[in-house]
Amino acid sequence: MTSNGQNPPKKILLTGPTGFIGKRLLYRLDELGWQVRCLVRRSETLHLPIPLRHTPEIVHADLLDPGSLPAALDGMDAAYYLVHSMGGRNIRQTLAFEQKDREAAQNFLTAADQAGLSRIIYLGGLGDINDNLSHHLASRQEVGRILQSGRVQTTVLRAAVIVGAGGAAFEIVRYLVERLPVMVCPKWVYTLSQPIAIENVLDYLAGCLDTPATIGRSLDIGGPQILSYADLMRMYAKVRGLRRTIVGAPLIPAKLSAYWVNLITPVPAGVVLPLAEGLRNKAICRENAIREMIPLRLVSMEQAICNALSEEAEGPGKLLSQQACFLPGDLK
Ligand SMILES: NC(=O)c1ccc[n+]([C@@H]2O[C@H](COP(=O)([O-])OP(=O)(O)OC[C@H]3O[C@@H](n4cnc5c(N)ncnc54)[C@H](OP(=O)(O)O)[C@@H]3O)[C@@H](O)[C@H]2O)c1
C-alpha cells in the first residue's frame, strides 16, 4: 500500500527496454522488486550486461503493428512508454518519425484502453508550445496529448537533455567538446535549458508508480541548474580538463547547424538532426510540483557529467567511458 492507502500497480509493461532510459529503468524496477514484462521488437537488441535479480518476461511486439499489442498488454496493470521513432543513417529517414510516433502512440493507447490498463507513464520533452517548437519537440508533446486522450490515466513527465552515458542529446555535447578545441556556434548555444541527471530521471519514473498524486498529471522534471548549452559544454570541458573556446556566430541558421553537428558526431543522422534542430527551443520547467510529490536530492550537472564519464556504457558513450574524470574532489 502507498502512503495514500492505494494499491500500487503490480505488473508493469516496459516499452523501450533496449533504449538509453528503458534499459536503466529495467534495472531500477528490478532492484525495487517490481514484476516487469519487457516489450521488444527483436530479442537480440536487449543486452543485459549485469544479471537482473528476477528474470523479466519478454514479449515481442511492435508499436507500429497494432495486432501485436493485445498479447503484450494482457494482464498488465501499468506501462512505461519510452519509445520514439527517430533514427536512421540518412536524411530522408529523419523525416518519417512524426507520423510513426503519432501512429505508435495511437495504437498503444487503443490497445491499452481495450486491455483495461490502469495507467501509463510517458517520458516526453520540455518546451513551450508557443515557441515555434522543432518537429521533434512538437512530436513529443503530441504523443503526450494522444496518450492522455483515452480512458487510461497517463502521467506525462517532461524533460530537457538527460545527462547520462549513451543518451543521444548528451552524446552530442560530449562529441562536440571532445573533438573541437574551438567551436564556432550558432545562437542556439545560448538557449536556456534545465538538463537533468539520468539517476534523477529514474528516481522520478520509478517514483511515479507508488505516488498516486502523479496519476494523470503532466509534470516537468529538471535538474538543479538552468544553463545554456554553451554553459553545459564549458562544464563538460572543465570536468574533462579540456581547454575549449566557444565563439558565437548568430547568423548560422538552426538547420545548417544541425547538419554541421551531424558531421562532427557519430550519433546517427536520423537522431542528431531532429535533436539539434530542437536546441533552438528553451527547455525549462514551467512548474516544480513533482518536487513535493517525489522529494529527491537533485544531482548537479557537474556530478552528472562525471558519473556519465566514469560509467561503462554502450553505444557512443563507450568510446570515452574509460577516460579519466577531472572533476575536483569536492564535487565528487
Ligand atoms: N535521451 C534524452 O536525453 C531524452 C530527453 C528527454 C526525453 N526523452 C524521452 O525518453 C524516451 C526514451 O528515450 P531514449 O533516449 O531512451 O531513446 P532510445 O535510446 O533511442 O530508445 C528508443 C526505444 O524505442 C524503441 N522503439 C522504437 N520504435 C519502436 C516500435 N515501433 N515499437 C517498439 N519499440 C520501439 C527502441 O527499440 P529498438 O531497440 O527495437 O529500436 C528503443 O528501445 C523518449 O520518449 C524520449 O523522447 C529522452
Side-chain angles (χ1 to χ4, degrees):
M1 295 272 265
T2 64
S3 53
N4 292 31
Q6 296 194 16
N7 286 322
K10 289 188 177 63
K11 293 187 181 168
I12 318 294
L13 179 71
L14 178 60
T15 67
T18 58
F20 163 58
I21 296 160
K23 188 185 289 185
R24 286 170 162 79
L25 185 62
L26 173 58
Y27 279 96
R28 177 65 70 91
L29 294 175
D30 180 60
E31 233 172 74
L32 295 170
W34 294 102
Q35 204 176 329
V36 182
R37 176 187 288 171
C38 294
L39 182 157
V40 293
R41 291 193 281 190
R42 296 172 299 273
S43 326
E44 64 274 17
T45 52
L46 184 63
H47 305 294
L48 299 172
I50 305 166
L52 292 160
R53 290 185 191 183
H54 313 95
T55 309
E57 189 188 343
I58 310 286
V59 62
H60 291 95
D62 185 331
L63 269 53
L64 293 171
D65 172 9
S68 68
L69 296 176
L73 282 152
D74 186 40
M76 295 291 105
D77 298 307
Y80 282 99
Y81 194 94
L82 299 176
V83 164
H84 68 78
S85 303
M86 291 187 300
R89 296 239 153 240
N90 67 47
I91 308 294
R92 197 179 303 149
Q93 286 170 310
T94 70
L95 302 175
F97 73 89
E98 290 167 282
Q99 179 56 25
K100 282 189 190 165
D101 278 329
R102 193 173 298 133
E103 273 176 39
Q106 196 57 65
N107 291 341
F108 192 76
L109 180 69
T110 303
D113 273 345
Q114 281 166 2
L117 198 76
S118 63
R119 67 181 299 200
I120 296 172
I121 300 165
Y122 162 63
L123 179 63
L126 276 172
D128 180 349
I129 202 76
N130 301 317
D131 186 24
N132 183 24
L133 285 184
S134 69
H135 294 283
H136 163 58
L137 291 177
S139 166
R140 293 291 81 201
Q141 300 212 354
E142 183 186 21
V143 166
R145 285 195 299 277
I146 293 171
L147 294 175
Q148 284 187 322
S149 67
R151 283 194 298 272
V152 185
Q153 295 278 354
T154 297
T155 302
V156 175
L157 299 186
R158 306 183 342 137
V161 168
I162 297 172
V163 176
F170 173 68
E171 294 300 337
I172 293 175
V173 169
R174 183 208 290 259
Y175 278 101
L176 290 176
V177 180
E178 291 286 344
R179 292 187 166 170
L180 301 173
V182 177
M183 283 172 269
V184 180
C185 293
K187 65 175 181 219
W188 61 250
V189 287
Y190 302 108
T191 307
L192 291 178
S193 159
Q194 196 168 350
I196 180 167
I198 180 66
E199 297 86 338
N200 285 153
V201 174
L202 300 180
D203 294 335
Y204 283 135
L205 283 168
C208 280
L209 274 183
D210 50 15
T211 310
T214 62
I215 293 175
R217 296 281 304 269
S218 279
L219 298 161
D220 293 355
I221 62 172
Q225 294 139 291
I226 293 176
L227 303 167
S228 69
Y229 293 101
D231 293 333
L232 193 60
M233 290 194 279
R234 284 193 203 99
M235 201 177 263
Y236 180 95
K238 183 173 164 216
V239 169
R240 282 277 292 115
L242 301 169
R243 286 171 75 91
R244 293 294 181 258
T245 305
I246 296 173
V247 183
L251 295 179
I252 303 177
K255 225 177 194 137
L256 183 66
S257 67
Y259 286 100
W260 171 77
V261 170
N262 182 45
L263 289 178
I264 306 296
T265 75
V267 182
V271 178
V272 83
L273 293 180
L275 285 184
E277 205 200 336
L279 298 179
R280 68 168 193 261
N281 294 116
K282 244 201 239 173
I284 296 175
C285 297
R286 301 160 304 180
E287 45 76 29
N288 292 307
I290 199 159
R291 292 193 187 175
E292 303 273 310
M293 298 172 185
I294 305 176
L296 297 180
R297 192 184 71 79
L298 291 174
V299 175
S300 73
M301 282 310 102
E302 291 91 339
Q303 184 62 61
I305 293 168
C306 194
N307 293 348
L309 289 172
S310 50
E311 185 188 338
E312 270 299 325
E314 295 201 356
K318 197 171 183 181
L319 290 185
L320 293 161
S321 60
Q322 302 296 336
Q323 296 188 8
C325 171
F326 293 94
L327 192 67
D330 58 333
L331 289 171
K332 280 187 181 173

